[in-house]
Amino acid sequence: MYTNCGSNAGLQVAKKGITIGFKKTAKPIEFYKVCWEVTITESLAMFRDLRRWLKLLLIIIFAGGVMLTAWSLYEEDGRLRHDLFVKAKIAANGIPPAQVQALQGSDADLTSPEYLALKRLMEGITASDEKVRFAYIMGQRDDGTIFFFVDSEPPKSEDYSPPGQEYGEATEVVINSFAFQKELTGGPDSDRWGTWVSAMIPLLDPDTGKLIGVYGMDLDARYWYLSLFLAAAPVLLGTLLFLFLVMTFLYISEQKQRETDILDESRRAIQASEERYRLIFNSSPLGIVQIDREGIILAVNRKFADFMGVSVEKLIGFSTLSELMNPGLRAAVQEMLRGKQGYFEGEYTSVLSEKHSILRMLGEPLLNDEGKVYGAISIFEDITERKKTEEALFKANIKLNLLNSITRHDILNQLLALKGFLELSHDHRSNPEKLDNCLSRAVQAANTIERQIGFTKDYQDMGVKAAIWQDLEENLIKAKGGLPVERITIDIKDTNYEIFADPLFEKVFYNLIDNTLKHGGDHVTAIRISARETGEGLEILYQDDGAGIPDSKKKTLFDPVHAGQKGFGMVLTAQILAITGITIIETGIFGKGVQFEIRIPRGGYRMKKSSG
């Protein structure tokens, strides 16, 4: 299968494996995706090498084009000079030396037959070849001054040079031809008549070999330049065309490389963004769910799976429209799929695990570029404990108000009794027996008021702080540690639980043990505390082998109205437990000891997490 990618790519895929999420897979579509990425990477490396070779080729073509163009110009220049030299040589061979020797280089020559013959000859040379602009014969005086004997221009021409006209701007090629009596070509050079390429042929006396003059032939430099350009044009244009093609290809390749780099950078940015999203998605303290436009779950994070009590895999593909039983949550989903915001808050029981919790959901529709809904995404928060806390605080306030009312009523009653006994004692000052009785009753009322005020100290913190999860066994150990239980054996069994209760939960077991010590009798030797799960929740049993409680007092045991002189410990115990929905009853047999049953509903307890 890997060979479809090419040997290198296939090997890389084989080594790399194909990872999706955190699992290995052998899905063909993912294999070919990785194959494509590896092949593209290899192709890009080859493409970069090609670009380097293209740049080198560009330099070679440019250098070669320059050298070939220079060589073409050199060859054409040589050819043109050779042609000009040949033409001048042929023309010079047709000039009779005797006629030149007969000229004086002055206006006297204008009527001489030799001048006129040479004039016609010069005119004939230029007329026979349109490329030749001027033909002329020059001489040199004894002082070195160069002058014209005759030229090819008619007397009426602006460029006409009469016999004897000095050539003050004589060019190097003219001077050297006179000086060295050599046949030369030169230029382009400029003078008053323009810019020329010239050929100079010395005219010698055939008998003596003495220089009698120099024949000159001029070609217009513009023609010369045009000829050079036309000669170099094919090479130059070919080089430029080749350079253009290579540069165009290089430019296109650079553009494609930039696009590839941008795409590669975008791909890396997208991958980094996906990694960040995946990290946020999986690590979020909130549950996250994405559905398609049919309400089918496409993705969920681990936190939402924990809310539902199942694995992530079991939730994928779940239909929120057809399988969701909760009407409120289903309505919120339907709102999102209609393009509106969805909201739900309330109790929810998972269809897949029957886990019960209180959830809050806020969702938004997902819209495409055309504004049409293609799905929705929502976040879930488990507010079960928050709701329990709110409910516990609400109940605590109610309990506190009730206890305040009862306590205030009881204290007022005792104060009224205290005042009454004090007034009676004033009336019975002369009767010691009655006075003593009134004072005893007054002290008794004052003691009752003291106990009632002491009770307010115990319950003043009840419900002030939010309910929390508390270690049952740890609370039992703290409770017995605060009381003198040296003579009693306390057996604690199966209490590896945490209880969601008011922070005063420790007082519950303190009061139960204290009740055993105060009212259990002298023969109390053992206390047993255990826990067991039932069909309705968790049941904590508190038992002792003391005197027990008469049946007539069991109904009012936890009633603050009937607390009276027996104290408020049991009342406070019941009120603390009731804050989080926990109940307590006494089911023991009088004479055999007490048995308190503390019943904790589902959701109000959990197994203690192991420290390892």
Side-chain angles (χ1 to χ4, degrees):
M1 180 175 180
Y2 294 123
T3 56
N4 292 335
C5 289
S7 59
N8 291 337
L11 181 61
Q12 291 183 47
V13 174
K15 290 179 179 178
K16 176 181 177 182
I18 304 169
T19 304
I20 301 175
F22 299 100
K23 296 185 176 181
K24 294 283 184 179
T25 181
K27 294 181 180 179
I29 185 169
E30 297 298 335
F31 169 77
Y32 288 121
K33 177 181 177 182
V34 176
C35 253
W36 180 81
E37 290 178 352
V38 175
T39 304
I40 288 298
T41 302
E42 291 186 345
S43 300
L44 288 175
M46 294 174 61
F47 188 63
R48 292 189 185 98
D49 291 339
L50 177 61
R51 286 169 51 232
R52 285 194 289 269
W53 282 109
L54 283 174
K55 289 179 180 179
L56 179 61
L57 178 62
L58 191 63
I59 296 171
I60 293 172
I61 291 172
F62 179 77
V66 169
M67 289 188 290
L68 191 58
T69 301
W71 180 81
S72 300
L73 291 172
Y74 176 79
E75 285 292 310
E76 181 64 13
D77 182 78
R79 186 187 67 79
L80 291 172
R81 291 181 187 277
H82 179 266
D83 289 348
L84 177 61
F85 178 78
V86 170
K87 289 178 182 180
K89 184 71 173 175
I90 293 172
N93 288 337
I95 299 173
Q99 291 181 355
V100 177
Q101 287 176 319
L103 299 176
Q104 299 177 18
S106 66
D107 291 341
D109 291 335
L110 291 174
T111 57
S112 71
E114 290 83 1
Y115 174 82
L116 294 175
L118 289 173
K119 185 73 171 178
R120 285 190 297 273
L121 178 61
M122 296 300 106
E123 291 175 348
I125 291 172
T126 56
S128 64
D129 191 341
E130 62 181 6
K131 297 178 183 178
V132 178
R133 179 64 183 86
F134 295 116
Y136 46 88
I137 299 173
M138 292 184 292
Q140 188 175 35
R141 303 188 194 281
D142 293 339
D143 61 0
T145 302
I146 297 173
F147 63 92
F148 287 98
F149 278 120
V150 62
D151 70 356
S152 58
E153 288 297 293
K156 294 182 179 181
S157 172
E158 292 180 355
D159 297 326
Y160 168 66
S161 296
Q165 183 184 55
E166 293 182 359
Y167 186 37
E169 62 263 56
T171 60
E172 185 178 357
V173 67
V174 174
I175 295 171
N176 288 338
S177 184
F178 276 104
F180 302 109
Q181 298 182 17
K182 288 185 178 182
E183 299 169 343
L184 300 172
T185 61
D189 293 317
S190 298
D191 57 20
R192 75 188 75 169
W193 292 281
T195 303
W196 321 100
V197 177
S198 306
M200 298 296 160
I201 307 297
L203 300 175
L204 305 175
D205 186 329
D207 296 328
T208 64
K210 182 180 178 181
L211 181 67
I212 59 174
V214 172
Y215 169 71
M217 180 180 285
D218 292 343
L219 265 64
D220 193 327
R222 289 173 296 181
Y223 164 76
W224 191 270
Y225 293 140
L226 178 61
S227 298
L228 291 178
F229 174 75
L230 292 176
V235 176
L236 184 61
L237 291 176
T239 301
L240 292 176
L241 179 60
F242 207 174
L243 287 174
F244 175 76
L245 292 175
V246 175
M247 289 180 68
T248 301
F249 184 78
L250 190 59
Y251 173 77
I252 293 173
S253 67
E254 292 283 354
Q255 288 296 105
K256 290 188 72 66
Q257 181 60 39
R258 288 194 195 95
E259 292 175 1
T260 302
D261 291 342
I262 292 172
L263 289 174
D264 192 46
E265 183 65 27
S266 298
R267 181 175 59 82
R268 288 195 295 269
I270 291 172
Q271 287 178 342
S273 177
E274 288 177 348
E275 287 298 323
R276 288 194 296 271
Y277 170 76
R278 188 179 294 110
L279 179 64
I280 294 171
F281 185 78
N282 290 328
S283 304
S284 172
L286 301 174
I288 304 175
V289 183
Q290 182 182 353
I291 60 174
D292 64 14
R293 62 182 180 181
E294 304 299 328
I296 304 298
I297 292 180
L298 300 177
V300 299
N301 65 350
R302 289 191 293 269
K303 180 58 70 172
F304 182 76
D306 292 342
F307 290 168
M308 296 297 104
V310 294
S311 65
V312 170
E313 289 75 14
K314 283 190 176 182
L315 289 167
I316 303 301
F318 181 86
S319 174
T320 58
L321 294 180
S322 61
E323 298 181 72
L324 200 59
M325 297 292 104
N326 188 294
L329 186 54
R330 186 168 60 246
V333 172
Q334 291 170 341
E335 283 293 295
M336 289 189 293
L337 296 179
R338 282 195 290 265
K340 301 178 181 179
Q341 187 182 75
Y343 181 81
F344 168 78
E345 181 176 330
E347 296 185 4
Y348 177 77
T349 301
S350 172
V351 177
L352 299 175
S353 68
E354 297 186 356
K355 181 181 178 180
H356 183 78
S357 54
I358 302 173
L359 299 177
R360 175 185 293 160
M361 183 275 282
L362 181 65
E364 293 286 343
L366 297 175
L367 308 177
N368 59 22
D369 294 337
E370 298 175 355
K372 295 183 179 179
V373 177
Y374 68 87
I377 191 165
S378 54
I379 56 173
F380 284 78
E381 181 183 8
D382 188 338
I383 57 173
T384 304
E385 291 191 14
R386 184 189 304 174
K387 285 295 183 181
K388 286 181 180 179
T389 301
E390 291 174 357
E391 185 178 352
L393 290 173
F394 178 74
K395 288 182 178 179
N397 284 326
I398 295 176
K399 300 291 183 184
L400 285 171
N401 288 333
L402 177 61
L403 289 172
N404 282 333
S405 176
I406 294 172
T407 304
R408 183 172 60 252
H409 181 269
D410 288 346
I411 290 175
L412 288 174
N413 286 340
Q414 294 300 319
L415 283 173
L416 182 62
L418 176 61
K419 288 172 65 179
F421 289 127
L422 290 175
E423 289 178 359
L424 288 174
S425 65
H426 180 72
D427 295 338
H428 296 298
R429 283 180 295 179
S430 57
N431 189 338
E433 183 178 351
K434 289 185 178 180
L435 177 62
D436 183 63
N437 181 58
C438 287
L439 291 175
S440 296
R441 299 290 294 273
V443 170
Q444 184 179 355
N447 289 335
T448 301
I449 292 173
E450 183 181 13
R451 286 197 303 273
Q452 289 170 336
I453 293 174
F455 173 62
T456 62
K457 181 179 181 300
D458 288 333
Y459 78 74
Q460 68 179 351
D461 293 330
M462 185 176 65
V464 172
K465 297 180 180 179
I468 56 174
W469 288 99
Q470 301 179 62
D471 189 314
L472 174 59
E473 189 170 2
E474 185 177 314
N475 273 274
L476 292 171
I477 293 171
K478 286 181 180 179
K480 73 176 185 178
L483 293 166
V485 292
E486 294 83 2
R487 65 182 179 86
I488 298 176
T489 301
I490 299 180
D491 181 26
I492 300 174
K493 184 178 179 182
D494 299 329
T495 56
N496 193 33
Y497 292 93
E498 290 181 344
I499 311 300
F500 188 74
D502 187 89
L504 292 175
F505 182 61
E506 179 187 336
K507 276 282 188 181
V508 169
F509 299 101
Y510 181 92
N511 289 335
L512 291 177
I513 297 173
D514 185 54
N515 182 74
T516 296
L517 295 175
K518 289 179 178 179
H519 306 292
D522 295 336
H523 63 281
V524 176
T525 60
I527 295 174
R528 295 176 299 279
I529 304 172
S530 62
R532 64 177 182 177
E533 291 193 51
T534 66
E536 297 178 354
L538 183 70
E539 184 178 78
I540 301 174
L541 292 179
Y542 177 92
Q543 300 168 306
D544 68 25
D545 59 353
I549 299 173
D551 292 340
S552 60
K553 295 184 178 181
K554 289 183 179 183
K555 290 183 179 181
T556 60
L557 185 62
F558 306 107
D559 188 352
V561 177
H562 298 86
Q565 296 183 358
K566 70 179 185 301
F568 292 90
M570 290 296 101
V571 174
L572 183 63
T573 295
Q575 297 302 321
I576 291 171
L577 294 174
I579 289 174
T580 52
I582 303 173
T583 61
I584 182 171
I585 59 173
E586 204 287 322
T587 59
I589 300 175
F590 180 63
K592 293 185 177 181
V594 298
Q595 178 172 291
F596 290 100
E597 296 181 7
I598 301 173
R599 294 170 183 173
I600 305 165
R602 287 190 177 277
Y605 68 93
R606 64 189 183 189
M607 291 292 294
K608 185 167 64 175
K609 297 177 182 178
S610 62
S611 59

